[in-house]
Amino acid sequence: IEGQRQYERSGIIEPKRSKESRYRRYDYLDITSLLRARTYRAFGFSHREIQEMTNELSCEEVCERMQQKREQLQREQFLLTEKIGLLDARIEELETMEKQLDQVQIVQRPALYRLEFSKNGSISSDPELIRLFQQWQEYMPFLEISTGYRDGEVFGALAIREEYARLWQIQEGKYVH
């Protein structure tokens, strides 16, 4: 009921009121508008976007919004597929870990971007680095914890594979190597 009232307040549907009972009476246009709005909602559009698409935008603009939503959903689908692949790899690692404890494996390290946030156990207090660290946490589960050794010092970092870094346009910079 509250959902219908929200659509009513935003002008998507405009039911008539019966004078005797004050009940709302919906006509064909209200029902089809409500169904269209519910379809938009099922695609993931916000209530504000639905209101705009229904009441304010031209067909061309609605089509453009739908194209943008399609691209967003494709990106989400890609990320979900990648997450499933990462989960499968972690499950396989855990299942075989005990069998490999006394073995040495040589594997090629993937190209990584590293955000070093710690040096010799001390966490940096640089505000820009803290901001980047917080931003990078949005990229979970695509991040890895990385420890690097250089010139007798130990660096703690978040690392992300190059192919995932491209998704978020991560580039080398002052703190990213």
Side-chain angles (χ1 to χ4, degrees):
I1 292 174
E2 184 53 36
Q4 285 179 279
R5 289 185 180 145
Q6 206 174 11
Y7 289 125
E8 190 176 328
R9 284 191 293 271
S10 62
I12 294 170
I13 57 175
E14 297 177 6
K16 313 300 179 265
R17 298 232 183 224
S18 167
K19 292 182 182 182
E20 305 85 46
S21 65
R22 301 289 296 154
Y23 285 114
R24 292 173 176 84
R25 297 188 56 86
Y26 298 95
D27 63 17
Y28 178 78
L29 184 58
D30 291 319
I31 292 170
T32 57
S33 294
L34 181 60
L35 291 172
R36 187 170 48 263
R38 297 288 305 267
T39 300
Y40 292 157
R41 189 74 182 133
F43 284 131
F45 288 101
S46 70
H47 189 78
R48 183 189 55 75
E49 290 172 314
I50 294 168
Q51 188 272 331
E52 290 173 353
M53 292 169 69
T54 305
N55 297 335
E56 300 169 19
L57 300 180
S58 67
C59 286
E60 184 179 318
E61 292 168 319
V62 169
C63 186
E64 186 177 316
R65 291 271 179 102
M66 288 182 162
Q67 289 286 358
Q68 291 167 354
K69 181 58 75 175
R70 183 179 193 280
E71 291 167 10
Q72 176 192 346
L73 291 173
Q74 284 177 316
R75 180 179 169 95
E76 290 173 13
Q77 180 182 31
F78 171 79
L79 290 174
L80 283 173
T81 301
E82 292 297 310
K83 286 179 185 180
I84 291 168
L86 287 170
L87 270 174
D88 289 342
R90 298 252 167 96
I91 290 167
E92 185 178 331
E93 286 172 10
L94 289 171
E95 288 175 344
T96 60
M97 189 176 289
E98 283 189 40
K99 297 175 197 166
Q100 297 176 350
L101 286 177
D102 59 347
Q103 296 178 6
V104 174
Q105 281 186 321
I106 298 175
V107 295
Q108 183 175 356
R109 183 181 124 195
L112 299 172
Y113 283 83
R114 288 173 37 92
L115 177 66
E116 293 180 348
F117 62 88
S118 162
K119 181 178 177 181
N120 297 325
S122 296
I123 307 265
S124 174
S125 60
D126 182 306
E128 176 63 14
L129 182 57
I130 292 169
R131 185 192 66 74
L132 280 171
F133 184 85
Q134 290 170 337
Q135 178 184 344
W136 274 45
Q137 289 181 52
E138 298 296 317
Y139 309 142
M140 289 294 191
F142 301 100
L143 296 181
E144 300 173 27
I145 312 286
S146 175
T147 303
Y149 304 92
R150 200 169 54 247
D151 301 324
E153 297 184 298
V154 181
F155 296 88
L158 294 177
I160 189 167
R161 292 179 183 211
E162 183 178 30
E163 64 264 27
Y164 298 132
R166 283 193 299 258
L167 292 173
W168 291 284
Q169 289 91 38
I170 293 173
Q171 299 176 346
E172 284 193 76
K174 181 178 178 182
Y175 299 106
V176 179
H177 309 284

